């Protein structure tokens, strides 16, 4: 991971992602991406390869994220991520089976939120210019409190989902979702308010 006289650390990586700094292929940030991916692959393989008690899952997810996950967290494996260190979870969060998180840009999930089967959350875009296509631009996804994300939904980079919202199954969420609304479709649009 050493690219010059200094080596980037996790705190610097997170700060760069929060600042939405581009990740240029071959840069220290790019090298850090690959290093974190290898660690995430190791931990998610452990999560996914055999039965673990809920308490063991909390410990493994704490190791994956690099921060203490609340004991109320529940996960049904398998679970996939290519980073792990930029996931922040509230209390009483539930993530169902086969979810895929691309969390380098930052994924925050508020208290009491439910993530359905096979949900994908993306936080990265590639450069549109073909000669720079391997360069990456991070944008965080923020999911509020008591949100329900239906199965097979995809949430794209930079989206904020308000408290109490519901994302209909199979939706592609391309823009912010107001609190206490139900959205559905591809692209997702507001269907009605939560009563």
């Amino acid at each position: 991971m050493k690219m010059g006289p200094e080596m980037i650390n996790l705190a610097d990586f997170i700060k760069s992602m929060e600042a939405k700094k581009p990740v240029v292929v071959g840069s220290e940030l790019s090298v850090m991406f690959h290093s974190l991916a290898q660690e995430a692959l190791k931990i998610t393989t452990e999560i996914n390869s055999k039965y673990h008690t809920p308490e063991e899952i909390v410990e493994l997810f704490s190791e994956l994220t690099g921060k203490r996950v609340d004991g109320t967290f529940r996960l049904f494996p398998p679970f996939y991520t290519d980073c792990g260190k930029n996931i922040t979870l509230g209390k009483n969060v539930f993530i169902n089976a086969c979810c895929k998180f691309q969390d380098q840009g930052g994924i925050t999930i508020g208290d009491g939120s439910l993530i359905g089967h096979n949900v994908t959350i993306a936080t990265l875009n590639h450069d549109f210019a073909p000669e720079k296509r391997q360069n990456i631009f991070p944008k965080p996804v923020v999911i509020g409190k008591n949100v329900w994300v239906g199965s097979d939904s995809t949430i794209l980079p930079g989206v904020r989902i308000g408290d109490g919202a519901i994302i209909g199954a199979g939706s592609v969420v391309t823009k912010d979702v107001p609190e206490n609304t139900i959205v559905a479709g591809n692209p997702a649009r507001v269907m009605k308010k939560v009563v």
Side-chain angles (χ1 to χ4, degrees), residues 97-112:
C98 300
C99 289
K100 300 164 204 78
F101 287 13
Q102 180 195 57
D103 67 282
Q104 288 93 334
I107 295 173
T108 302
I109 302 175
D111 295 349

Side-chain angles (χ1 to χ4, degrees), residues 116-173:
H117 289 92
N118 204 37
V119 167
T120 298
I121 302 176
T123 66
L124 303 174
N125 276 318
H126 288 273
D127 200 305
F128 285 3
E131 67 277 6
K132 297 179 181 178
R133 188 67 41 87
Q134 292 187 29
N135 295 342
I136 299 169
F137 300 91
K139 287 186 180 177
V141 168
V142 178
I143 297 172
K145 295 178 181 179
N146 301 309
V147 171
W148 175 18
V149 180
S151 296
D152 295 306
S153 293
T154 298
I155 301 170
L156 295 183
V159 166
R160 298 180 72 86
I161 299 174
D163 294 349
I166 297 172
I167 311 302
S171 295
V172 178
V173 185

Side-chain angles (χ1 to χ4, degrees), residues 59-74:
E59 291 304 317
L60 286 164
F61 221 83
S62 295
E63 182 182 355
L64 178 66
T65 62
K67 50 184 107 55
R68 186 74 199 146
V69 173
D70 191 79
T72 59
F73 170 67
R74 293 296 177 259

Side-chain angles (χ1 to χ4, degrees), residues 86-102:
N86 213 358
I87 299 171
T88 302
L89 303 175
K91 296 178 180 178
N92 294 302
V93 169
F94 173 69
I95 300 173
N96 218 324
C98 300
C99 289
K100 300 164 204 78
F101 287 13
Q102 180 195 57

